Amino acid sequence: NPKTDGPCPACWDATFDLESQRELLLDLAKKSILDKLHLSQRPTLSRPVSRGALKTALQRLRGRRRETLLEHDQRQEEYEIISFADTGLSSINQTRLEFHFSGRTTGGVEVQQTRFMFFVQFPPNATQTMNIRVLVLRPYDTNLTLTSQYLLQVDASGWHQLLLGPEAQAACSQGHLTLELVLESQAAHSSLILGGFSHRPFVAAQVRVEGKHRVRRR
Amino acid sequence: GINCQGASRMCCRQEFFVDFREIGWHDWIIQPEGYAMNFCTGQCPLHVAGMPGISASFHTAVLNLLKANAASSTAGGGSCCVPTSRRPLSLLYYDRDSNIVKTDIPDMVVEACGCS
């Protein structure tokens, strides 16, 4: 603070030895990063993701940058979250996927877009079309009320993307998204690969910090 | 801005890189591998006050010296070597739920220093 009469903070080299200065800078760097990420301490990984899944997810998302560049200050308020699925209750033709969001995601933020990515593989030499119904269920509801559903026609093996609607965005904002995948065709359930190594389904959420009132001095 | 080198004690930018592996953070920060924090250090004599990038020219230095001499009799107040340009730090990291978050933290990397 140049306005105070104390010593200028940039002139510390006269009073700190190199090692103390280094320790101080490292502490400052750690504190600065944690503060800006709104974390009180570094996260402890409770559900580590395999490197294969991570690599695949990032490859899928790469190149999907938005075409229009946002204003500089607006871009600074945005971030993206990739949440990998936990598989819940499943049966022969349906699979339930759970996605957890917390911390910065809940409260004071707005989920702008939610994309669901999943991998499908048909058996070799099979040519068939599979209908997948994706159900968005109300979070933390014991009866799992349906809020919306999407019908997808899948006719090729590979990664598929589904843009989810406002109900899913609201669920992400509340910290928990539940999807249920229902196969409507006769295709064997095993054709839908879920959770295997690098083919784990995930949700990519584009999030923006909200509630910042801009005050302009005139 | 000027990068610190040699024995100069004038205001400059000192490079400082925090290696995430070294501080044990490489398990939760996926990218980048470290943080080029950098900082400003050095002295700011009054005649270079208010000059980002120190002395832009001989003439401006002389003018500032004159101003500083005039000001020093009326006000105390020193000049500080401070960041004049910063850029954001892009991070890809795991949050508490093991989700992957990509964000840009503004004003984290010091790019240039100057005298306030």
Side-chain angles (χ1 to χ4, degrees):
Chain A
N1 182 359
K3 288 180 181 170
T4 59
D5 290 333
C8 175
C11 302
W12 60 4
D13 53 347
T15 52
F16 284 84
D17 61 65
L18 280 176
E19 192 51 37
S20 307
Q21 188 173 331
R22 187 181 139 72
E23 289 300 317
L24 190 71
L25 285 166
L26 285 178
D27 283 346
L28 193 65
K30 288 180 187 175
K31 188 174 181 306
S32 179
I33 291 173
L34 291 177
D35 281 351
K36 294 286 175 63
L37 297 179
H38 306 286
L39 296 170
S40 54
Q41 58 184 3
R42 51 147 297 165
T44 307
L45 303 182
S46 53
R47 297 181 296 132
V49 176
S50 76
R51 292 193 71 81
L54 171 60
K55 188 180 169 190
T56 310
L58 294 176
Q59 278 174 347
R60 296 306 306 167
L61 292 176
R62 189 173 297 161
R64 292 182 189 276
R65 302 252 177 242
R66 281 157 293 160
E67 290 175 1
T68 52
L69 285 174
L70 297 167
E71 292 295 325
H72 180 65
D73 58 343
Q74 188 182 345
R75 198 165 59 239
Q76 288 175 351
E77 302 290 329
E78 289 190 354
Y79 53 98
E80 284 178 51
I81 298 176
I82 303 170
S83 179
F84 288 93
D86 284 335
T87 308
L89 292 169
S90 299
S91 67
I92 187 69
N93 66 341
Q94 65 92 11
T95 303
R96 189 168 293 170
L97 303 174
E98 309 278 354
F99 300 91
H100 302 274
F101 300 86
S102 66
R104 290 180 71 187
T105 324
T106 51
V109 297
E110 176 194 358
V111 178
Q112 294 189 309
Q113 193 186 72
T114 313
R115 278 176 289 149
F116 172 50
M117 314 276 285
F118 61 100
F119 189 84
V120 170
Q121 187 169 38
F122 289 114
N125 304 322
T127 52
Q128 54 187 316
T129 301
M130 185 164 53
N131 284 338
I132 301 178
R133 196 180 292 274
V134 180
L135 311 177
V136 182
L137 304 175
R138 186 163 292 158
Y140 300 119
D141 189 339
T142 48
N143 295 324
L144 287 168
T145 317
L146 174 69
T147 60
S148 59
Q149 59 177 316
Y150 308 84
L151 187 63
L152 238 83
Q153 203 168 58
V154 174
D155 55 6
S157 295
W159 280 94
H160 295 270
Q161 176 183 222
L162 176 65
L163 200 61
L164 300 173
E167 298 83 5
Q169 291 167 20
C172 292
S173 298
Q174 289 170 36
H176 191 107
L177 171 67
T178 306
L179 298 181
E180 199 164 80
L181 270 63
V182 182
L183 301 185
E184 291 203 324
S185 64
Q186 297 300 315
H189 184 242
S190 59
S191 61
L192 191 65
I193 295 180
L194 297 170
F197 298 110
S198 6
H199 297 130
R200 197 165 158 187
F202 63 93
V203 160
Q206 190 180 313
V207 178
R208 183 170 190 269
V209 178
E210 65 179 9
K212 283 216 166 183
H213 301 287
R214 295 177 194 282
V215 178
R216 192 182 293 258
R217 177 182 285 176
R218 200 169 53 177
Chain B
I2 296 171
N3 284 330
C4 297
Q5 52 189 337
S8 170
R9 296 175 64 84
M10 291 292 283
C11 176
C12 58
R13 184 188 75 149
Q14 178 67 55
E15 291 186 349
F16 185 76
F17 184 76
V18 180
D19 189 331
F20 290 143
R21 181 171 291 275
E22 195 180 322
I23 60 171
W25 278 17
H26 62 291
D27 58 336
W28 71 279
I29 296 183
I30 303 161
Q31 282 288 337
E33 291 177 356
Y35 165 32
M37 181 181 173
N38 308 332
F39 61 94
C40 300
T41 186
Q43 296 171 347
C44 281
L46 275 177
H47 66 284
V48 292
M51 296 178 64
I54 319 292
S55 50
S57 72
F58 172 75
H59 296 95
T60 48
V62 171
L63 286 172
N64 276 282
L65 186 58
L66 289 172
K67 277 194 289 184
N69 285 338
S72 60
S73 58
T74 54
S79 167
C80 264
C81 181
V82 292
T84 53
S85 169
R86 298 169 189 255
R87 64 179 164 83
L89 170 69
S90 292
L91 276 185
L92 192 67
Y93 68 97
Y94 289 107
D95 69 2
R96 277 173 290 181
D97 300 312
S98 297
N99 293 331
I100 297 163
V101 180
K102 175 188 174 295
T103 188
D104 291 334
I105 312 177
D107 300 332
M108 286 291 279
V109 178
V110 173
E111 288 215 296
C113 300
C115 292
S116 62

